[in-house]
Amino acid sequence: MTMAEQEIKKFEKTDCAENSVFYQAMEEVIYSIAPLLESDEKYLKYAILERLVVPDRIIKFKVTWLDDNNNVQVNTGYRVQFNNALGPYKGGLRFHPTVNEGVLKFLGFEQILKNSLTGLPIGGGKGGSDFDPKGKSDFEIMKFCTAFMSELYKYIGPRIDVPAGDIGVGSREIGYLFGEYKKITSSYEGALTGKPYFFGGSLMRPEATGYGAVYFTGSMLEIEGKEPLDGKICTVSGAGNVALHAIEKLQQIGAIVVSCSDSHGTIYDPRGVDLELLKTLKLERRTSLKEYTEVHSEAEYIPVENYPEGAHAVWNIPCYAAFPCATQNELNELDAQNLITNGCVSVTEGANMPSTPEAIALLQSHKLCFAPAKAANAGGVAVSEFEMSQNASMTKWSYAKVDEKLKETMQMICKRVALTAKDYGVEGNYVDGANIAGFKKVADAMIAEGI
Ligand code: NDP
Ligand code: 2IT
């Protein structure tokens, strides 16, 4: 039995269906870091892995709120405070009916290593609720956010734990959460990031994750000796914050983005997607992508029911570079095979863990450039930390300054990941490079801080 298999075996006792995505994230990391554990016995001596895979604490609470028909609604709220060896717990809040403890543990665990890779002083955490924002009125969203914060405020603060957005939580929700936090604590402080600009948000926070993923891809393609993205066909999944800003940056640098998707279907527009229309549909009107074809009749809308058996329509479209930016496990082995067959050169994870382990293995075995989420989508949390800095010093940075620092951060992460992979004998493997580099920094801090 290899060391990685022995380590994985230790954690089987906590297995349950809810935890399957957490296991997926954890297993990948354990396999990647096995050479590091073997090269230095201190990580086993201080039981770093055993300590790292268990959150410092999981806070679970009831959220009771009144809908527009005066019916009482009850949801569950969570905050997983995973690890604060490098700084205050930091990570987003997800509002989606699929949220449970296992999903938030997977996201919080990934966040520890992602935040470590940024080189910034932030630990890892994640939170959210099984509340479904879809179809809710603005007042219902406000009432839910208020009720959620009336419990969460006890556990957060600028030096303790700083939540931000994720699926279903954007600047509108962060605004309501911040308003309630301020009201309860009488304190105007940066306890949340992703705030609207005019009351403490950073310029470019909304764009940061999508733009950062494109900057990362540019660096990776350069390091790997591949052609840059300008003039190339790209496919993007999702139509939310990350996807739309990835599309925006890709269009700015001259790439042709021919797709996007939501939970109901996929748009294929071979002439290049109309980003303004997408923003109107998804960010302003919060409606289905289907309406895109009412304006652009030459574009194709493929509803989920018509997806190829076992696969996703968006990964069946020929492209040079693919950007999964919707949700976990949205790119499976069949999808990977379709991308390979169609000549795809590069896959960048804008979403968290969008590719299944089988898909990653297949893409890597065919020598595609593969940028894992914890490295490629770290731009969002990096600019969140810039927001924390600005709030703490009561300053405002210009758009150019944030953009420059974001670009520098993504290029630095990419180089560090590539070099780490090379140092550990797995050149070109950005998954192993990211896991080893991210883990090492947190582990060394944990050892230095004592048990
Ligand atoms: P949004 O809520 O803004 O958008 C999510 C998008 O993904 C929507 O278009 C949604 O469709 C689609 N989607 C969600 N679930 C599914 C599904 N099961 N199948 C198909 N499509 C789905 O979220 P974000 O853009 O913020 O987040 C997207 C991903 O990026 C997540 O994995 C998140 O964790 C990750 N991420 C986000 C960061 C951020 O700064 N926001 C930072 C780093 C990572 P619909 O409109 O129908 O709901
Ligand atoms: O997954 C992520 O990195 C985020 N949702 C952003 C976290 C943050 O604190 O900005």
Side-chain angles (χ1 to χ4, degrees):
M1 202 185 285
T2 65
M3 174 183 270
E5 283 162 354
Q6 279 172 34
E7 288 301 317
I8 286 165
K9 240 185 144 20
K10 285 186 195 162
F11 305 110
E12 272 171 12
K13 57 184 180 294
T14 53
D15 206 358
C16 72
E18 245 192 33
N19 269 324
S20 69
V21 274
F22 173 55
Y23 270 87
Q24 186 182 331
M26 190 175 75
E27 272 194 20
E28 180 199 281
V29 171
I30 296 177
Y31 277 114
S32 287
I33 64 169
L36 179 69
L37 301 185
E38 275 157 11
S39 72
D40 196 332
E41 49 101 42
K42 71 179 174 191
Y43 299 114
L44 290 181
K45 181 176 163 194
Y46 287 96
I48 294 301
L49 207 47
E50 281 90 337
R51 290 160 61 197
L52 194 68
V53 298
V54 180
D56 288 349
R57 63 196 66 79
I58 299 179
I59 298 143
K60 183 172 176 182
F61 50 92
K62 182 175 66 180
V63 187
T64 313
W65 55 284
L66 213 51
D67 70 18
D68 287 347
N69 298 319
N70 285 333
N71 292 319
V72 178
Q73 300 288 342
V74 184
N75 288 97
T76 307
Y78 305 87
R79 187 71 183 164
V80 179
Q81 296 183 332
F82 226 118
N83 183 289
N84 63 355
L86 295 175
Y89 304 107
K90 180 85 196 89
L93 297 171
R94 178 176 290 193
F95 292 170
H96 195 270
T98 57
V99 163
N100 58 40
E101 219 169 277
V103 167
L104 296 177
K105 273 170 65 186
F106 123 62
L107 290 163
F109 181 68
E110 291 276 293
Q111 197 83 45
I112 306 169
L113 304 185
K114 179 192 314 193
N115 294 2
S116 160
L117 283 173
T118 65
L120 300 165
I122 38 180
K126 201 85 189 186
S129 174
D130 57 0
F131 170 72
D132 187 357
K134 276 214 187 98
K136 303 289 189 300
S137 72
D138 236 13
F139 270 115
E140 287 176 324
I141 299 283
M142 188 197 294
K143 284 185 279 185
F144 176 80
C145 288
T146 304
F148 184 84
M149 185 52 83
S150 71
E151 193 61 32
L152 185 71
Y153 86 95
K154 299 168 191 165
Y155 311 104
I156 64 172
R159 297 292 164 122
I160 303 168
D161 182 355
V162 186
D166 194 81
I167 290 181
V169 178
S171 61
R172 171 181 64 164
E173 291 73 21
I174 294 290
Y176 294 147
L177 291 164
F178 179 75
E180 184 63 12
Y181 178 85
K182 181 168 66 72
K183 197 164 153 192
I184 301 172
T185 61
S186 299
S187 179
Y188 204 105
E189 54 185 11
L192 292 150
T193 61
K195 300 182 287 297
Y197 176 67
F198 61 99
F199 57 86
S202 175
L203 284 174
M204 269 200 87
R205 176 61 188 87
E207 295 90 336
T209 313
Y211 280 24
V214 177
Y215 292 150
F216 187 97
T217 311
S219 292
M220 176 177 69
L221 292 173
E222 197 182 329
I223 293 172
E224 298 304 315
K226 306 287 186 211
E227 287 179 32
L229 292 166
D230 57 290
K232 295 287 193 291
I233 303 285
C234 295
T235 49
V236 174
S237 68
N241 173 278
V242 180
L244 294 180
H245 292 107
I247 294 174
E248 187 163 270
K249 183 49 73 180
L250 285 166
Q251 290 186 341
Q252 282 172 15
I253 63 169
I256 303 145
V257 183
V258 295
S259 74
C260 64
S261 65
D262 63 14
S263 45
H264 302 292
T266 295
I267 288 290
Y268 175 41
D269 191 340
R271 301 162 320 149
V273 293
D274 176 347
L275 182 59
E276 281 320 301
L277 177 60
L278 288 175
K279 283 187 176 176
T280 306
L281 295 178
K282 296 308 289 187
L283 302 182
E284 281 170 36
R285 293 182 39 213
R286 299 173 195 271
T287 180
S288 161
L289 277 179
K290 195 172 177 200
E291 293 184 29
Y292 185 94
T293 51
E294 288 171 15
V295 179
H296 294 291
S297 54
E298 60 298 329
E300 193 183 346
Y301 176 73
I302 309 150
V304 170
E305 313 79 83
N306 295 356
Y307 281 6
E309 178 90 33
H312 297 83
V314 64
W315 312 128
N316 211 8
I317 300 168
C319 67
Y320 179 77
F323 293 80
C325 295
T327 193
Q328 61 266 21
N329 291 330
E330 53 155 323
L331 194 164
N332 61 30
E333 199 175 5
L334 267 178
D335 298 320
Q337 188 54 61
N338 288 335
L339 286 168
I340 293 163
T341 306
N342 288 325
C344 176
V345 164
S346 155
V347 175
T348 300
E349 296 192 319
N352 283 310
M353 208 169 74
S355 319
T356 64
E358 297 77 19
I360 298 174
L362 191 61
L363 294 169
Q364 289 183 326
S365 72
H366 282 76
K367 303 282 176 236
L368 273 81
C369 297
F370 181 80
K374 57 175 76 73
N377 75 25
V381 77
V383 174
S384 273
E385 197 276 347
F386 302 163
E387 184 171 326
M388 290 162 72
S389 290
Q390 292 170 75
N391 291 166
S393 56
M394 307 281 272
T395 51
K396 285 275 192 194
W397 298 357
S398 68
Y399 188 93
K401 176 170 173 172
V402 181
D403 192 29
E404 190 51 40
K405 283 182 74 76
L406 171 64
K407 208 177 278 173
E408 264 172 28
T409 305
M410 299 315 295
Q411 289 167 349
M412 177 278 291
I413 297 174
C414 188
K415 275 194 201 133
R416 189 151 150 243
V417 166
L419 280 176
T420 306
K422 199 171 170 195
D423 284 351
Y424 283 85
V426 282
E427 191 168 0
N429 187 332
Y430 285 61
V431 173
D432 289 348
N435 287 329
I436 296 169
F439 173 85
K440 193 169 182 314
K441 191 162 183 222
V442 183
D444 290 346
M446 287 169 73
I447 291 168
E449 289 169 14
I451 54 171

